[in-house]
Amino acid sequence: MTPFDQSAQLQAMLDVEVALARALADVGIIPATAAVDIETAAHSDRFDVSALHADAERAGNVAIPLVRRLTELVAAVNPESARHVHRGATSQDILDTAFVLQLRSAAPALVAALARVMISAAGLARTYATTPMPGRTWLQQASPTTFGLKAAGWLDLLGRCRERVNQAVDRALVIQLGGASGTLAALGDGGPAVVETMARRLGLGVPDIPWHTLRDRFVDVAAALGTTCGALGKIGRDLVLLAQSEVGEAFEAPESGRGGSSSMPHKQNPVRAVAAVAASVRAPGLVATMLAAMPQEHERAAGAWQAEWSTLPELITLTAHSAEATALALTELTVVPERMRGNLEVRGGVAMAEALSNALSEYMPRGEASSHVERLSRAAVRTGCQLREVAAADAVVSQWMTREDLERLLTPEQFIGSARVFVDRVLQRWGV
Amino acid sequence: MTPFDQSAQLQAMLDVEVALARALADVGIIPATAAVDIETAAHSDRFDVSALHADAERAGNVAIPLVRRLTELVAAVNPESARHVHRGATSQDILDTAFVLQLRSAAPALVAALARVMISAAGLARTYATTPMPGRTWLQQASPTTFGLKAAGWLDLLGRCRERVNQAVDRALVIQLGGASGTLAALGDGGPAVVETMARRLGLGVPDIPWHTLRDRFVDVAAALGTTCGALGKIGRDLVLLAQSEVGEAFEAPESGRGGSSSMPHKQNPVRAVAAVAASVRAPGLVATMLAAMPQEHERAAGAWQAEWSTLPELITLTAHSAEATALALTELTVVPERMRGNLEVRGGVAMAEALSNALSEYMPRGEASSHVERLSRAAVRTGCQLREVAAADAVVSQWMTREDLERLLTPEQFIGSARVFVDRVLQRWGV
Amino acid sequence: MTPFDQSAQLQAMLDVEVALARALADVGIIPATAAVDIETAAHSDRFDVSALHADAERAGNVAIPLVRRLTELVAAVNPESARHVHRGATSQDILDTAFVLQLRSAAPALVAALARVMISAAGLARTYATTPMPGRTWLQQASPTTFGLKAAGWLDLLGRCRERVNQAVDRALVIQLGGASGTLAALGDGGPAVVETMARRLGLGVPDIPWHTLRDRFVDVAAALGTTCGALGKIGRDLVLLAQSEVGEAFEAPESGRGGSSSMPHKQNPVRAVAAVAASVRAPGLVATMLAAMPQEHERAAGAWQAEWSTLPELITLTAHSAEATALALTELTVVPERMRGNLEVRGGVAMAEALSNALSEYMPRGEASSHVERLSRAAVRTGCQLREVAAADAVVSQWMTREDLERLLTPEQFIGSARVFVDRVLQRWGV
Amino acid sequence: MTPFDQSAQLQAMLDVEVALARALADVGIIPATAAVDIETAAHSDRFDVSALHADAERAGNVAIPLVRRLTELVAAVNPESARHVHRGATSQDILDTAFVLQLRSAAPALVAALARVMISAAGLARTYATTPMPGRTWLQQASPTTFGLKAAGWLDLLGRCRERVNQAVDRALVIQLGGASGTLAALGDGGPAVVETMARRLGLGVPDIPWHTLRDRFVDVAAALGTTCGALGKIGRDLVLLAQSEVGEAFEAPESGRGGSSSMPHKQNPVRAVAAVAASVRAPGLVATMLAAMPQEHERAAGAWQAEWSTLPELITLTAHSAEATALALTELTVVPERMRGNLEVRGGVAMAEALSNALSEYMPRGEASSHVERLSRAAVRTGCQLREVAAADAVVSQWMTREDLERLLTPEQFIGSARVFVDRVLQRWGV
C-alpha cells in the first residue's frame, strides 16, 4: 500500500468520516453512541474498493458510494446511528481532507530522499572543493571550475527545494469541511466548533474558510514538487553529461545488472540520472495541469477539481522516485579527478584562454587582448599544440611573459578563484 | 517604456555594468577614473537598441554587443579605462542581474493591482456577508451561500497570492556575478568583495554562490505568478458565470464603448473578467516552460536559459494585466441581490432541499430522508410548484411539519450557516 | 487486461520477440528450430510481471530482464536455440514495437466511442435543426441559433478528430528494428529483409529508417488525442452550461445513483459531461510532455524516451474515457425546446436586438440604428418589458414599423438564417 | 512589417472587410457603390493602430474600434454607404479570417526554411553515408553508426514535419463568416452565397459551418508547428552534443562575431543549434495553451479564444526562427570525420564490443558471450588497452579467433550494417 493507491485513499476517507463523527459527538450534535457505531463500522476490510470505484464512475466521485456503504454498515448495527453518518459534510470535504492525510503520509519519504541527495552532494562538495575540472558553458569548455563547486550548486538548489516542499506541504495540511455550499449550514451554528474539533483530532490546521474551489495550497505543493523535479533534472543532466564516454569524469558505479544493454555488453548506462531527467520532462506538464485547474466554478468545479485527482498524486510519486534515484546516483558516484584534469588539456588547453587574456589586458586594451588570445587559441586547436606553447612562441606575448610565467599562469589550479569560499558558504548554509 | 521592453533592458544592463565598475574601483581592482569613464559612457541614448539585437542573433546574447559598444565608447575617451569594462564578468552576469532589476521595477505595479483586487473583494465580502444567493456545485444550484462568502473566498485566495508574489520576488532579488565559470577567477581573491560591494550599490542580496544554472528563484517567481493568474481566473470565471443573461446576479458596470458587440447592440460583454480568464489559460504553459528550462547544463545552458528570456517577462506582464482587469471588474461591479434571491426560487426552490432533508432526518434514517426529498424535488421541478408547497402537501412530511414550519425552514436566509463567521475571519486575516 | 497494463505490455513484447525469431529464421539467419523453441518459451504465464518491473528499475528498462528470462526459458529446453533470442535487436526495438501493437489494440474502442458521439450529435442536429435557442457569446445571450446547429458543430469537430486519430494511428503502425545503433549491423546485410519479414508477420508498416530518436509519429498520435480531448471538452462544457439550473435547456437524463450528491437530495450533476471537461484539462499537459520529449539525444535518449512511457498510454486511456462519457451524455440527453424558447424571452428578449437594429438600418446609418437599439434594449432590461413592446412604443421606431411588423421581426424562428443549410452540409459531410 | 505585427493585422482585417463588402455587392445585398466606398476608405494609413489597440482593451477586441473607424471614414464620403460596413458579420469573423490571411502570408518563409534544412541534411546524408562515428545511446558510446545515417534521420523527421505544416496550414485556410451567432441571420437567405463569394475573392476555402468555437484547425497548425520545433530541437541537441570540446565531431563554422564570449576569447558557441533547442523548450507550453483553449463556450468563448490571440502568432514566429537557425547551422556545418573515427578508439574501442560478442556467440550461448565480452571491455577501459588487444590475449577468445580475425572484426567500417540502405531510402523518399 503506497500513500496514493486506492486502498490508502479508502482508509484515509474512513479516517475522515470517523473524525467527523467523533467531532460531531464532541460538540454535542450527534450522540456519542453514533460516533462509536460509525467508528466500529469504518473498517476498510468491509469495503470493496473496486466496487466503490465502479460506482464512482456513475456517482461522480468515490465518496458518494463510500458514504452509502458506510451508512449501510452502521444501519445494520444501529439504524438510529446511521442517521448521523457524514452529517453536515459534502463529498469534497471527505475527498480533500483524505487527500491531505495522504499527502502528510507521503511527504516524509520524499523529504528524506531529498535530504540524502543533500548529504551526498555535500560530501562531494567538501571532498572536491578545489579539484579543477573544465567549466562548461553552452557545452563548450570554458574556464576551469571545481567539481566541489558544481556539487555545492546541486546542494544549494536542493536545499531550497527541500524548504519549498516542507513549507508547501505544511501550509496544505488544513482540514476541508464546508458542507454542500461552504457555509456548514446543516450544522446550524455549530460548524466552526466541529471544524476545530475535527481538525484537532486529525492533527490538521483550521482554515479561515472552506476552500473547495480555492486550490492554491495544492498548487503550491505541485509547484514545489515541479521545481524539485527540475532541480533533480539539472543534477541528472549534469551526471549524464559527465558520464559520456568521451568525458568520463564521473559515472554511476558499475553494478551487476544495472544499466546494461540487451545488445551491447560494454554498456554502463546512467540509469539513475536518467530517471531524474525523465521526471523533469514529465513534471512541467503535471504542474501546468494543476495551474490550469485553478479557475474552479463557484462552490464546486465542473471538471477542474476532477482533473486534480490523478495529477497531484502522480506528481508526488514521480518526485519521490526522482529523489530516490538521484540520491543513489550521487551516493555511489565514481569521480575521476584525473579525467577532469586531463580534459582540461584537450583542444590545446584553451579552457585557460581567459586567464591569458586577463593577464595580457594589463598591457593592452581588453578587447585587443581578447582578439589576440582568440587567434592564439585557434592556432593551438589547429596545430594540436598546447596554448602555453603557442603563447610562449608568440612575439607579442613573449614581450611581457616568459615560458615560466605562462606555465604558472595557465595552470588550472591557479585559476579557480573563489570556488572554495563559495563551497564553504553553501556547506555552512545547509549544515550538512 | 515598460519594465521589459528592449530599452528598459538596455538601461538595466548599463546600470549593472556601471555598478560592476564602481564596485571594482571600490575594492581597488580597477582605478577610480576607469569607473568614472565607464559611468560617463554608459548612457542608453548612445546605444542603438535595434543594432544590438541584430548583433545578438549572431553573438548568442545581447550582452556581448553591448559590452563591445560600451568598450568602444569608453575607449574613445580613455583607452586605458576601456581595459576595465565588464572586468571579471560574463554575459549572463549582466543579463541575469539586469533582469533582476527589471523584475524589481515591475513588481510594485503588479502588487498594487493585487491589493486593489483585495480591497474590492473585501468591500463586497463586508457588504454582502449575509446576502443569500444560490450556491452552485457542478454548476447546479446547491444549498444557498452568500455573496459575501464568495467574495471572501476571492479575498483569501488573492491574499495568499500577493504573499507568494512578494516572497518570491524578494527571494529573487539577488545579484548574479560569477564570471565565466562561476568561480570569479578573473578577480583573483577579490571576487566575493566585489560581489558584495556591487550588490550593495544595486540594493540586491548576495547569494552564497553564483547561480547561472540554478534557476529555482526565477521559477519560484513564475510559479507565484502562474498561481496568481489561476486565482484571478477563478474570480473571472465566477464573474462571467454570474453575468450570464439567465443568471444576472452581478455584472460589469455598463460603460460606453466597453464590452459592446460589432453586430449586437444589446451586448454588454464582461471584457474585464474575460481578460482574467484568458490570462489563466495562457499562464500554465508559460510556467511549464520555466520548469522545463530548469535542467540547465553544467555552468551555462545550451537552450534552456535562452528559453527563459521571453517567457518570464511575458508572464509578469500577463499577470499584471490580469490583476488590473480584475481590479476594475470588481471595483465597478454591479451586484443585484434581488436576482440572487430570485434565482433561489427557480426550479421550485430545490436549492433548499438539503435543509428539508436535514430536518426530516430527525425522524427517519438519513438515506431515507434524502431519497424522499429527492422525489419531492423532482415533483417540484416537474410541476413547476415550489418545493415548500409540494412538501406541505406530502403525507409523509406533513406528519411532522406544518406549512409554517416548512415556510420557515425553507427560507434561504435561515440556511446560510457560518457564512458570516467565515467572512469575518477572512477580513480580519487580511486587514482590508 | 487493458491494452496498456503491464500484462498486456508483456504479451506484446513476447509477440515481438517471437516475430523477430520467426523472421530471422525465414531469412535464414537462425535455424527454424530456434524460432520454434523461442515461440514455445514465450508464454506470458511463465513470466513474473512484478519481478520484471522490479528488475527494470535497475536495468533501465523492462525489455532487458524480459530478454534475460526468455533466454533462460529457451536455454532450459535447448541451449543452442538460446543463442538466437533477441538476435540483432536492442531493447528499444522491442519496447517501441510492442507499444505500437498495444496502440493498435487500443485504437478501435476509442474510434468506436468517437463514432457513437458522432451518431448522437448527428441525431440531435437532425432533430433540432430549426429549434431556436439563445446563441451565447461571451456567455451573454446573443442572437438566436438553433440547437441543431450547435450539435452540428459538435459533429463536425468530432468528425475531423476521428479522422485525425485514425490517420495518426495508421501512420504510427510501423515496426521498430534498428539494433544497438540503428544500423542493424549485427544482422550483416540481412537487416532490411528481417525488418520486412517481421513487419509482415506483425501486420505493421516498414519505415525507411529506424526511428529510435525520431519520435514524431508518436507525437502525432498524442496531438490527435489531445485535440480530441479538447473537442470533447468543448461539448462537455456546452452541456454543463446548458444544464445549469437557471438555463435548463438540456441535461443528462436522471438515473438512480448517477450524479447525485452526498449532501443534497435534489442534485443531478452532469457527471459525464464533467468527465469530458476534466479530460480536456489534463490532456494539454500530457501532449506538452510528448512534445518536450522530442529532442532525444543521438541514437537513444537519456531521459526523454523514458518520459514517454507512461505519458502516451495515459493519454490514450484518458481520451477513450472522455469519448465514452460524452457518447453516453449525448445519447441520453434530455433536450427541453420549450426552455430554449423561454430563455429567449428573458431580459426583455434583447437577444433579438440585432434583428431590430438590422431592420432599422434600412432607414438610418448602421451605427445610429445600433445606438438607438442599445438604448431600447437597456430600457427593456431595466423595466422588465419585452423589447418588442418598448420598440412599439418608441417614437423613432414607430415611424417605420407597426406593432405587427415588430412582432414578426422579433420572432426568433424568423431569425435563424442559414442554420438548416449548415446543419445539412455537416450531416452530408459525415454521412451519419 | 512581419506577418503578425499590428500593422499586418490591420491590413488583413481591412482586406476582409473589403472582401465582405464586395461579396455583399456581388450577391446583391448591398449596392455596388457602397462596396466601392468601403474599399476606398479601407486604407491602413487612415487608421491609427495604437489608438485601435487602446480602444480594444475596453471594447474586448480590436475589430470593434476598427469597424467604428471604418464606418466613420465611409460616412464622411457617403453616409448611405456607411450603413453597409461590416454588414452581417461579427468581430470574430473579421479577426479569424484576418488571422487566416496572416497565416497564409507567414507560411511560405517557414516552409522554405524547412526545405533548406532538408537540403542541407540530405547533403550531409549523401556525403557521409558510410562515414563511421560512435553511435551513442544514453549518451554512452554504443556500436558505430555513420554520420550520414544520423543526418538521414534528421531529413526524414523534417520531411514529415514539412508535410505536417503544409497540410495543417492548407486545412486552416478557410473563411470565417457566421455573424453574431453563427447563423448569418442578418443576411436572410443570402448567407451561404456571400460566404462563397467572399471566400473566392480571398482565395480561401469554404467551411461547411461557421467555426467560431470549433478551433481544431488552428490547433492542428499549432501541433504541426510544435512537432516541428521538437524535430528541430532534436537536430539542435545532436549538434550541441557533437560540438562539445571533448567530442568535436561537428561544429558551427567559426565566423567573426558569432558565438563568442564576453569573457573567454577561445569560445565558439553553437548559437544556431542552441536557438533551435531553446525553441523546442518553449513550444510545448504554447501548444498546450492552444489545446487548453479548445473548450470554448457556446457560440463565442469567454477567455479561451482571447488566449489564442498572441499564442499562435508567437508559435509561428518561433518555429520560423528555429528553422532559419537550423538551416544555417547545417549549411555551414564543419564535419570532422577523423574525430569521429578517433572517438571510436576512446575507452579501449569498446564501442565495438557488440561485434565481438556477436561473433563469440557463434561458439557459446549469447548470454555467456555477452558476459565474457563485458569482462574484456572493463579490462580494456581499466588498463587503457584497446579491446582488440585484450581479446587477442584472452585464452577463451583466442581459441577461435586470431589477432588478424579480431583486427578485421573490430574495424568500425565493417560494422555499419545497413546504414547505406537506410540513407538511400530516405534520400529517395524526399527527393532532395
Side-chain angles (χ1 to χ4, degrees), chain A residues 50-61:
Chain A
S50 308
L52 293 181
H53 278 271
D55 284 358
E57 196 68 24
R58 292 164 70 245
N61 69 58

PDB file of all heavy atoms in Angstrom, chain A residues 50-61:
ATOM      1  N   SER A  50     -12.828  -1.959  -5.396  1.00  0.00           N
ATOM      2  CA  SER A  50     -13.147  -1.973  -6.822  1.00  0.00           C
ATOM      3  C   SER A  50     -14.595  -1.596  -7.067  1.00  0.00           C
ATOM      4  O   SER A  50     -14.921  -0.832  -7.981  1.00  0.00           O
ATOM      5  CB  SER A  50     -12.895  -3.360  -7.408  1.00  0.00           C
ATOM      6  OG  SER A  50     -11.611  -3.781  -7.091  1.00  0.00           O
ATOM      7  N   ALA A  51     -15.472  -2.131  -6.233  1.00  0.00           N
ATOM      8  CA  ALA A  51     -16.895  -1.830  -6.398  1.00  0.00           C
ATOM      9  C   ALA A  51     -17.149  -0.340  -6.164  1.00  0.00           C
ATOM     10  O   ALA A  51     -17.911   0.304  -6.888  1.00  0.00           O
ATOM     11  CB  ALA A  51     -17.725  -2.666  -5.423  1.00  0.00           C
ATOM     12  N   LEU A  52     -16.493   0.229  -5.157  1.00  0.00           N
ATOM     13  CA  LEU A  52     -16.662   1.668  -4.910  1.00  0.00           C
ATOM     14  C   LEU A  52     -16.236   2.475  -6.132  1.00  0.00           C
ATOM     15  O   LEU A  52     -16.912   3.427  -6.531  1.00  0.00           O
ATOM     16  CB  LEU A  52     -15.825   2.103  -3.694  1.00  0.00           C
ATOM     17  CG  LEU A  52     -16.236   1.570  -2.326  1.00  0.00           C
ATOM     18  CD1 LEU A  52     -15.297   2.136  -1.249  1.00  0.00           C
ATOM     19  CD2 LEU A  52     -17.686   1.940  -1.993  1.00  0.00           C
ATOM     20  N   HIS A  53     -15.109   2.088  -6.737  1.00  0.00           N
ATOM     21  CA  HIS A  53     -14.624   2.863  -7.881  1.00  0.00           C
ATOM     22  C   HIS A  53     -15.506   2.655  -9.109  1.00  0.00           C
ATOM     23  O   HIS A  53     -15.659   3.568  -9.918  1.00  0.00           O
ATOM     24  CB  HIS A  53     -13.147   2.563  -8.150  1.00  0.00           C
ATOM     25  CG  HIS A  53     -12.265   3.345  -7.246  1.00  0.00           C
ATOM     26  ND1 HIS A  53     -11.816   4.609  -7.557  1.00  0.00           N
ATOM     27  CD2 HIS A  53     -11.810   3.098  -5.996  1.00  0.00           C
ATOM     28  CE1 HIS A  53     -11.093   5.088  -6.562  1.00  0.00           C
ATOM     29  NE2 HIS A  53     -11.064   4.180  -5.587  1.00  0.00           N
ATOM     30  N   ALA A  54     -16.078   1.479  -9.241  1.00  0.00           N
ATOM     31  CA  ALA A  54     -17.024   1.272 -10.344  1.00  0.00           C
ATOM     32  C   ALA A  54     -18.239   2.187 -10.148  1.00  0.00           C
ATOM     33  O   ALA A  54     -18.699   2.846 -11.080  1.00  0.00           O
ATOM     34  CB  ALA A  54     -17.442  -0.191 -10.395  1.00  0.00           C
ATOM     35  N   ASP A  55     -18.726   2.249  -8.914  1.00  0.00           N
ATOM     36  CA  ASP A  55     -19.875   3.121  -8.645  1.00  0.00           C
ATOM     37  C   ASP A  55     -19.503   4.594  -8.808  1.00  0.00           C
ATOM     38  O   ASP A  55     -20.338   5.417  -9.200  1.00  0.00           O
ATOM     39  CB  ASP A  55     -20.373   2.905  -7.210  1.00  0.00           C
ATOM     40  CG  ASP A  55     -21.154   1.602  -7.075  1.00  0.00           C
ATOM     41  OD1 ASP A  55     -21.320   0.907  -8.095  1.00  0.00           O
ATOM     42  OD2 ASP A  55     -21.590   1.297  -5.956  1.00  0.00           O
ATOM     43  N   ALA A  56     -18.275   4.923  -8.487  1.00  0.00           N
ATOM     44  CA  ALA A  56     -17.843   6.322  -8.562  1.00  0.00           C
ATOM     45  C   ALA A  56     -18.015   6.880  -9.965  1.00  0.00           C
ATOM     46  O   ALA A  56     -18.304   8.062 -10.151  1.00  0.00           O
ATOM     47  CB  ALA A  56     -16.383   6.448  -8.119  1.00  0.00           C
ATOM     48  N   GLU A  57     -17.822   6.014 -10.938  1.00  0.00           N
ATOM     49  CA  GLU A  57     -17.962   6.442 -12.327  1.00  0.00           C
ATOM     50  C   GLU A  57     -19.346   7.053 -12.564  1.00  0.00           C
ATOM     51  O   GLU A  57     -19.477   8.064 -13.240  1.00  0.00           O
ATOM     52  CB  GLU A  57     -17.767   5.217 -13.233  1.00  0.00           C
ATOM     53  CG  GLU A  57     -17.500   5.532 -14.675  1.00  0.00           C
ATOM     54  CD  GLU A  57     -16.148   6.202 -14.848  1.00  0.00           C
ATOM     55  OE1 GLU A  57     -15.251   6.006 -13.975  1.00  0.00           O
ATOM     56  OE2 GLU A  57     -16.004   6.924 -15.829  1.00  0.00           O
ATOM     57  N   ARG A  58     -20.363   6.426 -11.985  1.00  0.00           N
ATOM     58  CA  ARG A  58     -21.721   6.935 -12.172  1.00  0.00           C
ATOM     59  C   ARG A  58     -22.052   8.035 -11.176  1.00  0.00           C
ATOM     60  O   ARG A  58     -22.763   8.989 -11.500  1.00  0.00           O
ATOM     61  CB  ARG A  58     -22.743   5.804 -12.042  1.00  0.00           C
ATOM     62  CG  ARG A  58     -22.633   4.817 -13.200  1.00  0.00           C
ATOM     63  CD  ARG A  58     -23.345   3.510 -12.915  1.00  0.00           C
ATOM     64  NE  ARG A  58     -24.786   3.655 -12.889  1.00  0.00           N
ATOM     65  CZ  ARG A  58     -25.555   3.471 -11.816  1.00  0.00           C
ATOM     66  NH1 ARG A  58     -25.005   3.137 -10.654  1.00  0.00           N
ATOM     67  NH2 ARG A  58     -26.847   3.617 -11.890  1.00  0.00           N
ATOM     68  N   ALA A  59     -21.538   7.905  -9.967  1.00  0.00           N
ATOM     69  CA  ALA A  59     -21.898   8.865  -8.921  1.00  0.00           C
ATOM     70  C   ALA A  59     -21.195  10.197  -9.122  1.00  0.00           C
ATOM     71  O   ALA A  59     -21.694  11.242  -8.708  1.00  0.00           O
ATOM     72  CB  ALA A  59     -21.537   8.298  -7.559  1.00  0.00           C
ATOM     73  N   GLY A  60     -20.035  10.166  -9.753  1.00  0.00           N
ATOM     74  CA  GLY A  60     -19.290  11.400  -9.948  1.00  0.00           C
ATOM     75  C   GLY A  60     -18.051  11.476  -9.077  1.00  0.00           C
ATOM     76  O   GLY A  60     -17.110  12.149  -9.396  1.00  0.00           O
ATOM     77  N   ASN A  61     -18.075  10.785  -7.938  1.00  0.00           N
ATOM     78  CA  ASN A  61     -16.867  10.683  -7.129  1.00  0.00           C
ATOM     79  C   ASN A  61     -16.993   9.498  -6.189  1.00  0.00           C
ATOM     80  O   ASN A  61     -18.078   8.964  -5.970  1.00  0.00           O
ATOM     81  CB  ASN A  61     -16.568  11.987  -6.366  1.00  0.00           C
ATOM     82  CG  ASN A  61     -17.573  12.261  -5.276  1.00  0.00           C
ATOM     83  OD1 ASN A  61     -17.762  11.457  -4.357  1.00  0.00           O
ATOM     84  ND2 ASN A  61     -18.243  13.403  -5.363  1.00  0.00           N
TER      85      ASN A  61
END
